[in-house]
Amino acid sequence: MRKANTFTYYLGIIILLMFALWAIFPSSFAPYELKESFTPWQGMSMSHIFGTNDMGYDIFTEIVYATRDTLIISISSAFLTMLLAILFANLSLVKKFGIGLIFDTLINVLLNIPKLIAILVLISFLPRTRINIILLISFFSFASEAKILKNKIINIANQTFIEQNILYGFNRTYIALHSYLPNLKNTLVVRLLSVLSKTIMMESTLSFLGMGDLYYPSWGTMINFAYQRGAFLMNAYYYLLAPGFMIMLFCISFYFVSERFEKGS
Amino acid sequence: MNKYLRSILIATLTLIIIVIINFFLPRMLPGDPVYHLTGISEDFISPDLYNFYYEKLGLNLPMHEQFGLYLKSLFDGTLGYSYIHEETVFTLIFSTIGNTLKIIIPSVLIVSILAIIFGLRNAFKEEGNKKTIFSYVTILFNTVPSFLIGMILLILFSFVLGWFPDNGLNSPGATGGSAFFDELWHLLLPITTMVLAMFPSKYLLVKENSKKILKEKYVLFARTSGLNKLQIAYHYLLKNSFHTVFTSIAMSLAFGIAGSVVIENIFSINGMGLLFSSALNKQDFPLLQGMLFFVSLVSVITLIVSDLLILIIDPKTRRKQNA
């Protein structure tokens, strides 16, 4: 299946590049201006790829402009999650002073809390800014990744080549860089891509329920708007499905890219 | 026994942390504490009522006495009082949990059975690192958000085709025996959504675990001895992966409530998810806190019970404990 694998890998990279370009240069890719008004509730046509919404704005333009905010929240949350996961995974393996035990308990406690409900409750108390959403999503997502990374590190540590390196007298930094890191590379990439899918799901679910940052609409917020402004009544299904389709495309492209790295993880 | 006690300890610790967060959050935030504790904002409240609430909620007492009052309110069975809905949180949850359970329990059962059947079957088919089309489609399905699945099903089967209703759980005028089938008809789309949302991860879990077990030498010996696939699937694959699969099924029961928030929103079903959603929109903080506590309690109890069941059923974990 080598050929199919490479094809989907490059397809994934192309789609991700497209989204990145949409995020950085939205005005070059959107066919119209952001608040340019046409007749509302038009269907899909050649001039409006996804139709127009209740205020007459072109939906495709809105999607392109919303890419930047969606990506900022998802990518920042994902990187913060991975950073916290690596930090906590390493700290939970420290054997002195019971530090490992404390961090291990913290990870297990966070695994038991229902993520969506906790994030929703906390965000209803706090102001709904982008940074709060990023912090909350990362805080509740890093626990499962930390546990996976911790198990993977223990797996590597039990192998004989590590013991051999210690017997040869290499110091810890050398062993970490030359023995642990190459084996963890693939795992880290696969987990990062999986976390990216999860954060965008979480962010779009939050926005769909109305808890997103309304000033910078993301794809999930667009679906929420569609829902509230009567898209069902007007049979404007494209308004509801187009942003969701973008989310799906985004996650699929991450999956295609991560397939390449699955072997070593 | 050591590991089991440890997991009970962690579960209790989770609950304690939730209780502490629930207590400190409304009192520590910048802003009006009466607003955070009752959900009634300053514009709608008269000064006398404000002072009344201030004393009633004990905000003029020292912190530890407030905490004592809060703990007492948790144990007297009401889980707090919602000022916006004018009912105790417990009554609100109790009246709506039935509808949520009607969606979650059948979904979890169906997903478990389907995931085990298809996971085991495809584990045999994918032995040589081949991927079946079913797996590929499932992985792609994993990337679709749950609300999108719900919306597509709703649009397709309810609006376009008109085969299923689009809201609530009863049609007006359905009584007696036909009410049961009517409710089933209403429930079909939400349950399908939840099944489609939960199925991919369970299926992939069962399949990957089974593939690892299939590579073991004792399975090779069993196959050369003449055991057929069904016997191997049950005695070796299922029994060895029981721990992981059962834990994930138990977790999905608890996390199903989170999924039901979205699904009940889409299908307008009057269950806990919709209650939670309306509490979010109306900023009803006591209800939100009570529900967070309740869902964490359910999650913790499910974890403890599932660990106990695994300990009883699986002899391997029992022996590992004592080792």
XYZ file of all heavy atoms in Angstrom, chain A residues 178-216:
310
model
N 20.412 10.841 22.388
C 20.737 9.884 21.341
C 19.988 8.569 21.419
O 19.944 7.838 20.447
C 22.247 9.601 21.349
C 23.044 10.779 20.916
N 23.507 10.946 19.641
C 23.437 11.873 21.601
C 24.162 12.086 19.559
N 24.136 12.670 20.732
N 19.439 8.252 22.601
C 18.725 6.988 22.692
C 17.229 7.170 22.870
O 16.433 6.490 22.241
C 19.265 6.157 23.852
O 20.616 5.857 23.630
N 16.839 8.108 23.738
C 15.401 8.278 23.970
C 14.751 9.031 22.835
O 13.719 8.634 22.315
C 15.165 9.051 25.270
C 15.235 8.194 26.498
C 16.407 8.066 27.213
C 14.109 7.528 26.943
C 16.456 7.286 28.341
C 14.156 6.748 28.075
C 15.336 6.629 28.768
O 15.388 5.868 29.882
N 15.371 10.168 22.458
C 14.689 11.074 21.534
C 14.384 10.456 20.168
O 13.276 10.618 19.663
C 15.512 12.358 21.374
C 14.668 13.588 20.985
C 13.540 13.773 21.970
C 15.529 14.824 20.957
N 15.323 9.747 19.536
C 14.975 9.180 18.225
C 13.808 8.217 18.283
O 13.022 8.131 17.345
C 16.257 8.460 17.792
C 17.318 9.072 18.575
C 16.709 9.470 19.878
N 13.679 7.505 19.425
C 12.550 6.582 19.536
C 11.256 7.306 19.834
O 10.176 6.812 19.548
C 12.817 5.567 20.643
C 13.851 4.556 20.222
O 13.714 3.943 19.186
N 14.892 4.410 21.012
N 11.360 8.477 20.452
C 10.140 9.203 20.799
C 9.642 10.078 19.671
O 8.502 10.516 19.673
C 10.382 10.083 22.028
C 10.388 9.357 23.357
C 10.787 10.313 24.453
C 9.023 8.809 23.643
N 10.537 10.319 18.683
C 10.197 11.275 17.609
C 8.867 10.958 16.963
O 7.974 11.792 16.879
C 11.307 11.212 16.544
C 11.890 12.524 16.194
C 13.001 12.433 15.173
C 13.109 11.109 14.469
N 14.195 11.063 13.504
N 8.748 9.676 16.520
C 7.525 9.304 15.814
C 6.306 9.413 16.698
O 5.251 9.891 16.270
C 7.639 7.881 15.276
C 8.329 7.868 13.942
O 8.349 8.863 13.256
N 8.905 6.738 13.588
N 6.463 8.959 17.962
C 5.325 9.053 18.875
C 4.876 10.490 19.039
O 3.684 10.793 19.005
C 5.686 8.502 20.260
O 6.386 7.303 20.103
C 4.454 8.285 21.097
N 5.870 11.391 19.219
C 5.515 12.790 19.459
C 4.761 13.369 18.275
O 3.761 14.065 18.446
C 6.776 13.618 19.733
C 7.342 13.460 21.127
C 8.668 14.189 21.231
C 6.375 14.000 22.154
N 5.238 13.041 17.053
C 4.558 13.602 15.878
C 3.127 13.077 15.787
O 2.174 13.840 15.593
C 5.346 13.261 14.596
C 4.545 13.631 13.389
C 6.651 13.992 14.590
N 2.965 11.751 15.982
C 1.622 11.177 15.861
C 0.694 11.749 16.930
O -0.457 12.115 16.669
C 1.696 9.639 15.972
C 0.320 9.055 16.093
C 2.380 9.070 14.764
N 1.216 11.874 18.172
C 0.370 12.413 19.243
C 0.031 13.865 18.982
O -1.096 14.301 19.240
C 1.066 12.316 20.609
C 1.311 10.961 21.194
C 0.268 9.937 20.940
N -1.066 10.331 21.357
C -2.159 9.649 21.069
N -2.072 8.563 20.370
N -3.321 10.061 21.487
N 0.996 14.640 18.472
C 0.717 16.052 18.206
C -0.406 16.184 17.196
O -1.334 16.981 17.362
C 1.979 16.763 17.695
C 1.777 18.225 17.318
C 1.477 19.036 18.540
C 3.016 18.779 16.630
N -0.343 15.373 16.116
C -1.375 15.470 15.096
C -2.722 15.023 15.638
O -3.763 15.602 15.322
C -0.964 14.648 13.872
C 0.260 15.224 13.181
C 0.758 14.293 12.108
C -0.057 16.558 12.579
N -2.714 14.005 16.508
C -3.979 13.559 17.078
C -4.548 14.625 18.008
O -5.759 14.874 18.036
C -3.745 12.231 17.804
O -4.622 12.102 18.854
N -3.641 15.286 18.773
C -4.107 16.333 19.679
C -4.687 17.496 18.889
O -5.681 18.104 19.301
C -2.952 16.804 20.586
C -3.235 18.150 21.185
C -2.715 15.822 21.679
N -4.075 17.800 17.714
C -4.606 18.892 16.892
C -6.043 18.605 16.480
O -6.904 19.487 16.534
C -3.726 19.083 15.659
C -2.550 20.006 15.885
C -1.510 19.830 14.809
C -3.008 21.430 15.912
N -6.315 17.357 16.092
C -7.703 17.030 15.750
C -8.604 17.202 16.955
O -9.703 17.751 16.861
C -7.810 15.578 15.281
O -7.037 15.347 14.164
N -8.115 16.741 18.121
C -8.978 16.796 19.294
C -9.249 18.222 19.720
O -10.369 18.552 20.138
C -8.344 16.036 20.468
C -8.379 14.565 20.301
C -8.135 13.835 21.612
C -7.936 12.376 21.321
N -6.762 11.831 21.990
N -8.215 19.103 19.623
C -8.456 20.470 20.085
C -9.427 21.186 19.163
O -10.250 21.979 19.638
C -7.163 21.294 20.181
O -6.435 21.163 18.977
C -6.338 20.868 21.346
N -9.347 20.890 17.855
C -10.292 21.603 17.008
C -11.704 21.076 17.215
O -12.677 21.839 17.161
C -9.881 21.569 15.516
C -10.673 22.611 14.780
C -10.075 20.230 14.891
C -10.291 22.798 13.369
N -11.848 19.782 17.543
C -13.167 19.267 17.874
C -13.706 19.934 19.120
O -14.873 20.348 19.185
C -13.102 17.769 18.139
C -12.696 16.962 16.996
S -14.058 16.785 15.887
C -13.568 15.300 15.106
N -12.842 20.035 20.142
C -13.274 20.621 21.401
C -13.640 22.077 21.198
O -14.668 22.562 21.687
C -12.140 20.485 22.429
C -12.451 21.042 23.775
S -13.733 20.165 24.645
C -12.924 18.636 24.979
N -12.797 22.798 20.431
C -13.058 24.216 20.216
C -14.351 24.415 19.443
O -15.168 25.297 19.759
C -11.875 24.837 19.466
C -11.912 26.332 19.333
C -12.665 26.771 18.107
O -12.575 26.056 17.079
O -13.361 27.795 18.176
N -14.587 23.571 18.422
C -15.809 23.778 17.645
C -17.028 23.357 18.426
O -18.100 23.958 18.279
C -15.738 23.053 16.310
O -15.483 21.702 16.501
N -16.903 22.349 19.312
C -18.054 22.002 20.154
C -18.362 23.141 21.120
O -19.528 23.496 21.331
C -17.779 20.715 20.942
O -17.270 19.744 20.061
C -19.021 20.198 21.602
N -17.304 23.732 21.713
C -17.522 24.865 22.606
C -18.204 26.016 21.876
O -19.159 26.618 22.379
C -16.186 25.366 23.162
C -15.529 24.548 24.252
C -14.213 25.176 24.615
C -16.415 24.495 25.467
N -17.704 26.309 20.664
C -18.296 27.415 19.916
C -19.715 27.092 19.500
O -20.572 27.977 19.468
C -17.481 27.721 18.665
O -16.136 27.778 18.964
N -19.974 25.828 19.159
C -21.314 25.439 18.742
C -22.307 25.658 19.865
O -23.458 26.033 19.628
C -21.315 23.974 18.306
C -22.685 23.438 18.037
C -23.408 23.866 16.952
C -23.261 22.503 18.864
C -24.669 23.384 16.688
C -24.515 22.007 18.620
C -25.212 22.445 17.523
N -21.869 25.429 21.119
C -22.777 25.628 22.234
C -22.850 27.099 22.639
O -23.533 27.440 23.590
C -22.333 24.779 23.420
C -22.488 23.296 23.184
C -21.805 22.505 24.257
C -23.948 22.946 23.137
N -22.112 27.946 21.930
C -22.231 29.370 22.195
C -21.180 29.918 23.132
O -21.234 31.075 23.511
N -20.188 29.095 23.515
C -19.199 29.541 24.481
C -17.915 29.995 23.815
O -16.904 30.161 24.462
C -18.874 28.408 25.458
C -20.038 28.041 26.316
S -20.456 29.358 27.437
C -22.183 29.544 27.126
N -17.925 30.113 22.487
C -16.704 30.541 21.838
C -16.514 32.041 21.957
O -17.348 32.754 22.503
N -15.437 32.528 21.410
C -15.185 33.951 21.419
C -15.976 34.564 20.279
O -15.676 34.342 19.115
C -13.682 34.184 21.222
C -13.313 35.616 21.491
O -14.224 36.428 21.723
O -12.114 35.909 21.470
N -17.028 35.322 20.608
C -17.934 35.784 19.566
C -17.329 36.891 18.726
O -17.799 37.160 17.636
C -19.241 36.279 20.191
C -20.029 35.187 20.903
C -21.210 35.784 21.630
C -20.496 34.159 19.911
N -16.282 37.504 19.226
C -15.707 38.619 18.472
C -14.861 38.112 17.316
O -14.803 38.728 16.263
C -14.861 39.474 19.417
C -14.422 40.763 18.799
C -15.352 41.704 18.388
C -13.081 41.030 18.603
C -14.946 42.881 17.800
C -12.677 42.211 18.025
C -13.613 43.125 17.630
O -13.207 44.289 17.043
N -14.197 36.971 17.538
C -13.411 36.379 16.465
C -14.078 35.069 16.085
O -13.761 34.028 16.660
C -11.985 36.072 16.938
C -11.204 37.282 17.368
C -10.986 37.529 18.716
C -10.662 38.144 16.444
C -10.248 38.616 19.119
C -9.925 39.228 16.838
C -9.719 39.471 18.167
O -8.987 40.535 18.561
